Amino acid sequence: MLIPVEDAADPRLADYVRLRDVDLRKSLESEHGLFIAEGEKVIRRAVGAGHPVRSVLTTAKWLDHLAGAVGETTPVYVVSDEVMAGVTGFPVHRGALASMERTALPAVAELLGGVSRIVVLEDLVDHGNVGAVFRCAAALGVGAIVLSPRCADPLYRRSVKVSMGAVFAIPYARMADWHGGLAEIRAAGFQTLALTPDQSATPLDRVVMGERVALLLGSEGDGLSSHWLKDADLPVCIPMSPAAMDLGVDSLNVVAAAAIACHGLLRR
């Protein structure tokens, strides 16, 4: 249902306003139960994952790319590049945006039922990092992701974009209780491994892994909290080169660490 729109202030485009204003977007998306998918491939993946489409915002040159991506009754607002930038606050190079409805997340206990390898994220606050970790986990065969209560939203636009749609490929749930969250995971039979840059911890490639394993990754700055480090079954590390350590390079960023650790997590 193609609808030409010529005014960036048109109220029908309210779902798409000021996409780089993080505080506004958190409030708006939470209030209306929506998120924004950017780019034709991501839109198709979101639809394939079962998210209903509220509307699409695009320019005329991208209409052929979107053919068949959404239902015939979905409002598709067609605007100029100038109106697109006026609504969103930046040039949208991927050409199309879709406002999608969120679906209910499973409970943690429900998520853990049929998987043997999971990643648990504690307080990652950068949306790009969350999206990148989802992409690593999905690519390397991790079964599910559990988020602490304060973790950034995987369906925030930048998370979805950086993940290249992997947030729709791997199931996830959010803990209701940070303090006791690991106890629930252990009760489901998971061995909990706390990744730390501390080189005195057990190297990940020497760990005798159980049938079910949960890898814990901490925040960008401080890593895992002392509570989770103490509560985990075993602290583990990725061994660093002695030469790097001498140069003061004592850790990896969380995305690089996630990729290496997820690869190690899946070994048998």
Side-chain angles (χ1 to χ4, degrees):
M1 190 165 63
L2 303 182
I3 304 170
V5 179
E6 298 180 355
D7 184 359
D10 191 305
R12 291 174 294 181
L13 309 185
D15 284 1
Y16 304 96
V17 297
R18 292 159 56 188
L19 292 183
R20 286 183 172 171
D21 187 329
V22 177
D23 290 336
L24 171 68
R25 296 306 308 182
K26 285 181 179 178
S27 174
L28 186 153
E29 294 181 15
S30 174
E31 179 182 355
H32 296 285
L34 64 88
F35 68 93
I36 299 298
E38 180 177 352
E40 173 257 336
K41 290 182 179 179
V42 171
I43 292 170
R44 290 183 187 275
R45 289 177 182 175
V47 171
H51 292 278
V53 185
R54 292 163 58 96
S55 67
V56 173
L57 177 65
T58 189
T59 57
K61 64 184 178 184
W62 283 90
L63 289 175
D64 288 345
H65 296 272
L66 291 168
V70 298
E72 293 181 358
T73 60
T74 301
V76 178
Y77 300 117
V78 184
V79 299
S80 66
D81 290 335
E82 292 74 20
V83 170
M84 176 78 84
V87 174
T88 63
F90 67 97
V92 180
H93 299 299
R94 293 177 183 266
L97 300 166
S99 174
M100 316 288 298
E101 292 184 14
R102 292 173 182 259
T103 54
L105 290 179
V108 171
E110 179 185 349
L111 182 77
L112 300 180
V115 294
S116 62
R117 296 291 188 268
I118 68 170
V119 167
V120 186
L121 303 182
E122 184 189 30
D123 296 358
L124 267 70
V125 296
D126 183 277
H127 293 97
N129 284 343
V130 169
V133 171
F134 266 76
R135 188 174 182 182
C136 292
L140 294 168
V142 170
I145 292 179
V146 177
L147 309 173
S148 73
R150 295 190 299 184
C151 250
D153 179 13
L155 294 186
Y156 186 75
R157 181 185 63 88
R158 179 160 173 75
S159 297
V160 175
K161 180 179 178 181
V162 171
S163 80
M164 290 297 293
V167 294
F168 308 119
I170 183 167
Y172 69 96
R174 189 179 292 273
M175 291 178 177
D177 173 23
W178 164 81
H179 192 270
L182 295 189
E184 181 178 15
I185 291 171
R186 272 202 309 276
F190 282 85
Q191 174 190 20
T192 53
L193 305 180
L195 191 64
T196 172
D198 183 353
Q199 296 295 288
S200 67
T202 303
L204 185 60
D205 59 1
R206 296 184 186 176
V207 175
V208 178
M209 294 191 186
E211 288 297 317
R212 312 187 86 191
V213 183
L215 176 71
L216 316 182
L217 296 173
S219 66
E220 291 86 354
D222 299 327
L224 288 167
S225 65
S226 58
H227 172 64
W228 274 27
L229 278 169
K230 182 179 179 180
D231 207 28
D233 293 319
L234 183 69
V236 298
C237 70
I238 297 169
M240 301 287 294
S241 162
M245 299 290 287
D246 291 342
L247 293 172
V249 181
D250 62 353
S251 64
L252 296 161
N253 70 45
V254 69
V255 176
I260 295 170
C262 286
H263 184 271
L265 191 67
L266 270 294
R267 68 177 172 82
R268 293 291 187 268

